Amino acid sequence: QVQLVESGGGLVQAGGSLKLSCAASGTFHQINIMAWYRQAPGNQRELVASITSDETTNYSGSLKERFTISRDGAKNTVLLQMNSLKPEDTAIYYCNAGVQEYSYDLMYDTVWGQGTQVTVSS
């Protein structure tokens, strides 16, 4: 089984920065896409950013101006650098990965982390 463990969340003032980290552990063949999602109270979970195994990135809306996703493929770790944080960025941030457990698997399993709270005060 694969586990995703997030870290780096916390409380920060508006305009501050945080860096989230998500590390995959367990036994698997490879991970293709890794992503960060977030869910604010009363809202649906939404994509923040994603990155493929060849480091192609995708961002939601204008978040690219303030957020940067990166990946250490050798360590199966994905990072999210968040700058110029705003109160509306307050949410639980979840790590997500597409995991191929065995080399002969045709499908990738979707795995979620437990989430890390980010709170931005005004």
Side-chain angles (χ1 to χ4, degrees), residues 57-97:
T57 59
N58 177 55
Y59 293 87
S60 175
S62 62
L63 292 179
K64 185 177 183 178
E65 298 174 6
R66 300 184 293 119
F67 292 7
T68 301
I69 191 169
S70 60
R71 180 170 175 174
D72 183 337
K75 298 180 180 179
N76 290 303
T77 299
V78 63
L79 306 174
L80 185 68
Q81 177 67 46
M82 304 185 293
N83 299 326
S84 302
L85 283 162
K86 305 174 180 180
E88 51 263 42
D89 294 318
T90 295
I92 299 175
Y93 284 70
Y94 295 92
C95 181
N96 169 280

Side-chain angles (χ1 to χ4, degrees), residues 3-62:
Q3 287 188 325
L4 301 177
V5 179
E6 301 109 331
S7 62
L11 173 64
V12 65
Q13 288 189 332
S17 298
L18 282 175
K19 189 171 188 176
L20 305 183
S21 176
C22 171
S25 63
T27 303
F28 53 89
H29 177 61
Q30 65 178 350
I31 296 175
N32 61 351
I33 193 166
M34 300 188 80
W36 287 97
Y37 285 74
R38 68 185 182 183
Q39 187 168 17
N43 290 355
Q44 290 187 335
R45 193 172 296 189
E46 62 177 3
L47 175 69
V48 174
S50 65
I51 184 167
T52 64
S53 56
D54 64 359
E55 302 191 8
T56 299
T57 59
N58 177 55
Y59 293 87
S60 175
S62 62

